[in-house]
Amino acid sequence: MKSVFPTLFPSFFINQGLTPDVYYETAAVVITLILLGRLFENRAKGQTSEAIRKLIGLQAKTARLIRNGQEVDVPIEEVQIGDVILVRPGEKIPVDGEVVDGTSTIDEGMVTGESVPVKKQPGDEVIGATINKTGSFQFRATRVGSDTVLAQIVQLVRQAQGSKAPIQRLADQVTGWFVPAVIAIALLTFIIWFNFTGNVTLALITTVGVLIIACPCALGLATPTSVMVGTGKGAENGILIKGAESLELAHKIQTIVLDKTGTITQGKPTVTDFVTVNGTANGNEIRLVQLAASVERNSEHPLAEAVVRYAQSQEVTLADVKEFEAVAGSGVQGIVSGHLVQIGTQRWMSELGIDTQALQQDKERLEYLGKTAIWIAVDRQIQGLMGISDAIKPTSIDAIRALQKLGLEVVMLTGDNRRTADTIAHEVGIKRVLAEVRPDQKAATVQKLQSEGKIVAMVGDGINDAPALAQADVGMAIGTGTDVAIAASDITLICGDLRSIVTAIQLSRATIRNIRQNLFFAFIYNVAGIPIAAGILFPIFGWLLNPIVAGAAMAFSSVSVVTNALRLRKFQAKAV
C-alpha cells in the first residue's frame, strides 16, 4: 500500500515537497528471501526423515516360495503365514520366520545394529530385511506385512518422530507469549517513531522489520527436527525409542536397574550339577529327572527350560502332568504318575514344611560357585538338588563399567538367593544387589528406588519384568525378550547387547544438547534482531535494519536450526 499510493498519486507527495518513493523491489526481495529460506528449510527437514526411508528401503521386493516342490518368485505382499521360503547366499530375507532346513550366517546389523553375523540353524528365528551371508536355507514365514519386525520398527520411529518432548511444550508456551509480544513491540515501534519524527516511512520500515525478523519459525523447528534425527539415529543403532519424552528423559537417568537372567546373563541356563539324597527313588536318578522335567515342561521360566533340556540330553521320556500349578517367584508343582512333585526355591520348601537339611552342604557349594540351586521334592520329601548356571554375556562387564563411568548407579535385581546374586554381581562389577525379589515385588522395588528421589531406568526381558518396566521412569526392554516386556517399555534394545544402553543414553544427551543449541540459535536472532529492527541504533549511528536484511536473517535462523539438528546424523557412540 505504501508503494501503490505514490505510484497512482505522485502529485500528492510532490505538492508537499516530498519524494514519491516506492518499495516494490524491497517487497520482492523480502518475499524471495523468505521463500528461499523455506526451500532450504524443507530440503533440510526432508533429510531428517532419511532413517525412515532407509528402513523402508531395506525390505525385499520378492520372495522365493517352495510350493508343491517348485520354486516360485512372488511379490512380498503375497507371502502368507506358513509359507516356506528359500533364501540363497547374498539374498535378503523377505519376512520374519523360523528356519526349517539348512544353516547359514546372517547379517542382522541393519536391523539390530549388531555388526557380527549370527549363525542360524533349524528352530532359530530370522528377521525380515536382514542379509543371508553364507549358506542356503529354508524358513517358514511367521510374521508378514505390518506384523514384521521391520514394519514395527518403521511404525515406532514414525510415532516417536511425531511426538512432542517436554522441552517442546515449553517452547510452545514461550511461542504463545512471544507472538503477541512481538505484535505489541511492532505497534509500539510505529507509534514512537511516528510521534517523534512524524516520518511515516521510517515508522513503517522499522515496524515491518520487527515483524519480519521476529518470525518464530526457528523456535518451532528447534525441538522436532532434533527429535526426528535422534530417533532415526537410534533406529540405525538398533535402539527403538517409542516417544520424544522417553528420548529426553533418558539423559536424566541416575539409577539403572538390571534384571539378571536374560539381561546380564545370556538367558540360556544350563543344568551343571544334579545331586540326589542317598537311596532316593531306589537309586534311580533318571526317574527323578523324569518327574522334575515333566512338571517343568509346563512352565515358561528359563530355569524350567534348562531342566527340560537336561532331561532331553539324558534321553528321558517325559510323562503327563495333572494339576500343574506355578507359584510366582517360588516354583512349580504337579502330579506325575500319582506322585506330588514340587520344584523350587529353599524358601518355598520351608514354607511348605519340607526339610532340606540333607542337601544343605551341596546347596551352599553350588551358591558359592554362583549357581542357582533348585530343590526337588516328591511327596513332600526332598529327593534332589539341581545346580543351574547361566553364562554372563560377553559384553555385560564392559557395558556395566561404561554405565558407571557415565555417572550412573547400577543395581542388579534378581529372584536368586543372596549368595548366588552376590557372586554374579561381583563378577560383573555391580555393588548394589537386590536379591530374592519375587516377580510381584519388582515394580514395588523400582518404586522404592524412585522414592529416594532418583530417576530410575529398568532393563529387563521377561514377562515378570513388565510391571517394573512400566513403573520405571524409563523402561528398557531387551529385544530378544518377550513381546509383553517390549510393549511395556519405553525403549527397546533390539540386539540384546547391554552396550546399547550406553548408546541410548549418549544419544539422548547428544539430542538434548542439540535441542538446547537450536533454542539458543532461535532466541539469539530474535533477542538481538528485534531491538535493531526497531531502530535502536538509528539515533546513535543513523543506521536502520533494511527489511531485506531482516528477511534474510529470519530465513537464515530457520536454516541454522535445521542444519544444526542434522549434525546429529553424524552421531557415533563414544567409548567410555
Side-chain angles (χ1 to χ4, degrees):
M1 181 62 71
K2 175 62 178 172
S3 298
V4 171
F5 191 80
T7 301
L8 297 177
F9 306 102
S11 59
F12 173 81
F13 293 90
I14 295 173
N15 292 336
Q16 299 183 52
L18 299 174
T19 303
D21 296 323
V22 293
Y23 300 94
Y24 293 119
E25 76 287 354
T26 300
V29 172
V30 168
I31 292 172
T32 300
L33 287 172
I34 291 174
L35 292 176
L36 185 62
R38 290 289 175 85
L39 173 64
F40 290 149
E41 176 187 312
N42 288 332
R43 287 185 60 186
K45 284 170 67 178
Q47 296 177 49
T48 64
S49 298
E50 183 178 355
I52 293 287
R53 291 193 295 273
K54 282 184 178 179
L55 288 170
I56 294 175
L58 291 176
Q59 189 174 42
K61 302 297 186 293
T62 62
R64 185 173 293 109
L65 304 187
I66 305 296
R67 287 180 176 171
N68 301 320
Q70 301 292 323
E71 298 179 12
V72 182
D73 288 342
V74 302
I76 191 72
E77 295 80 13
E78 295 183 14
V79 178
Q80 299 179 358
I81 294 176
D83 284 343
V84 176
I85 301 170
L86 172 66
V87 183
R88 295 185 176 127
E91 294 181 339
K92 286 184 179 180
I93 297 171
V95 295
D96 298 355
E98 180 180 317
V99 178
V100 294
D101 184 44
T103 60
S104 183
T105 55
I106 296 177
D107 180 4
E108 298 182 340
M110 62 288 299
V111 175
T112 66
E114 178 60 56
S115 59
V116 180
V118 181
K119 184 177 180 180
K120 299 291 182 178
Q121 55 191 8
D124 290 341
E125 291 186 358
V126 291
I127 303 173
T130 55
I131 299 175
N132 183 28
K133 299 292 288 185
T134 54
S136 177
F137 66 93
Q138 296 179 17
F139 75 96
R140 181 175 291 105
T142 57
R143 287 190 294 266
V144 300
S146 61
D147 294 328
T148 63
V149 169
L150 180 64
Q152 292 177 6
I153 290 173
V154 171
Q155 181 59 33
L156 282 171
V157 174
R158 281 176 172 159
Q159 178 182 323
Q161 291 186 340
S163 61
K164 284 189 177 183
I167 197 170
Q168 171 66 30
R169 289 193 284 270
L170 175 62
D172 290 344
Q173 291 177 353
V174 171
T175 303
W177 288 98
F178 182 78
V179 173
V182 168
I183 293 174
I185 292 172
L187 292 174
L188 185 62
T189 299
F190 181 87
I191 293 171
I192 291 175
W193 282 115
F194 184 75
N195 287 339
F196 275 89
T197 66
N199 191 327
V200 177
T201 300
L202 177 61
L204 280 175
I205 288 176
T206 52
T207 300
V208 171
V210 169
L211 291 173
I212 292 176
I213 204 167
C215 177
C217 298
L219 192 59
L221 292 168
T223 299
T225 48
S226 295
V227 169
M228 290 179 71
V229 179
T231 52
K233 198 64 184 178
E236 289 179 19
N237 285 273
I239 301 166
L240 296 187
I241 303 166
K242 289 188 177 179
E245 186 170 359
S246 303
L247 178 63
E248 178 179 340
L249 195 56
H251 89 285
K252 298 180 181 179
I253 294 172
Q254 298 167 295
T255 298
I256 189 157
V257 181
L258 304 178
D259 175 57
K260 181 179 79 68
T261 304
T263 301
I264 295 176
T265 63
Q266 293 181 353
K268 295 182 178 179
T270 304
V271 175
T272 57
D273 300 82
F274 180 40
V275 184
T276 61
V277 176
N278 292 333
T280 290
N282 297 321
N284 190 352
E285 295 183 359
I286 296 299
R287 172 60 175 165
L288 187 57
V289 172
Q290 181 194 44
L291 294 175
S294 296
V295 176
E296 292 283 26
R297 178 175 55 176
N298 295 277
S299 172
E300 84 290 343
H301 198 281
L303 298 184
E305 294 178 9
V307 175
V308 174
R309 284 197 301 269
Y310 179 73
Q312 291 171 340
S313 70
Q314 302 296 317
E315 299 183 353
V316 173
T317 302
L318 303 185
D320 293 333
V321 179
K322 298 179 181 179
E323 300 180 24
F324 172 82
E325 181 184 0
V327 182
S330 298
V332 295
Q333 63 181 13
I335 296 176
V336 184
S337 302
H339 296 284
L340 174 62
V341 182
Q342 296 167 307
I343 309 114
T345 65
Q346 180 170 346
R347 182 184 67 246
W348 190 43
M349 296 296 158
S350 299
E351 292 173 356
L352 295 172
I354 298 174
D355 184 11
T356 60
Q357 190 59 41
L359 297 176
Q360 276 299 314
Q361 288 185 348
D362 294 288
K363 174 250 185 186
E364 292 176 3
R365 174 181 60 83
L366 293 173
E367 291 180 352
Y368 178 77
L369 295 174
K371 300 178 181 180
T372 301
I374 61 171
W375 298 85
I376 306 171
V378 180
D379 296 328
R380 297 190 178 278
Q381 297 291 322
I382 283 296
Q383 302 294 324
L385 183 68
M386 283 186 173
I388 299 179
S389 178
D390 188 6
I392 295 171
K393 291 179 181 177
T395 58
S396 290
I397 295 176
D398 290 339
I400 289 167
R401 185 181 298 118
L403 289 170
Q404 292 168 337
K405 287 183 178 179
L406 287 175
L408 303 177
E409 177 191 24
V410 182
V411 179
M412 187 175 81
L413 180 65
T414 178
D416 264 344
N417 64 82
R418 170 61 61 177
R419 181 175 294 179
T420 300
D422 286 341
T423 300
I424 298 295
H426 177 73
E427 188 172 346
V428 298
I430 294 177
K431 297 179 181 179
R432 187 173 181 181
V433 180
L434 302 175
E436 300 181 14
V437 180
R438 295 195 303 268
D440 58 335
Q441 297 175 328
K442 287 187 176 182
T445 303
V446 171
Q447 189 174 28
K448 184 177 180 181
L449 291 171
Q450 291 172 319
S451 68
E452 297 174 6
K454 299 175 180 176
I455 303 296
V456 179
M458 170 71 192
V459 185
D461 73 322
I463 292 174
N464 56 15
D465 296 323
L469 290 169
Q471 173 64 43
D473 297 292
V474 179
M476 298 185 181
I478 300 297
T480 51
T482 65
D483 291 340
V484 175
I486 294 172
S489 67
D490 303 301
I491 297 175
T492 300
L493 313 174
I494 300 178
C495 68
D497 189 336
L498 290 188
R499 290 178 298 185
S500 296
I501 304 174
V502 180
T503 303
I505 293 173
Q506 289 182 342
L507 177 61
S508 172
R509 293 180 177 181
T511 303
I512 294 304
R513 185 166 56 249
N514 190 271
I515 289 173
R516 288 171 177 164
Q517 291 168 352
N518 286 348
L519 291 173
F520 171 79
F521 284 132
F523 276 115
I524 198 66
Y525 279 104
N526 291 324
V527 171
I530 290 176
I532 296 174
I536 194 173
L537 300 179
F538 185 73
I540 305 174
F541 302 106
W543 188 82
L544 284 176
L545 184 65
N546 192 302
I548 294 177
V549 178
M554 184 277 293
F556 188 68
S557 67
S558 296
V559 173
S560 299
V561 165
V562 178
T563 303
N564 185 60
L566 290 175
R567 291 194 309 111
L568 274 175
R569 294 166 60 194
K570 299 180 180 179
F571 168 82
Q572 295 289 338
K574 298 179 181 178
V576 181

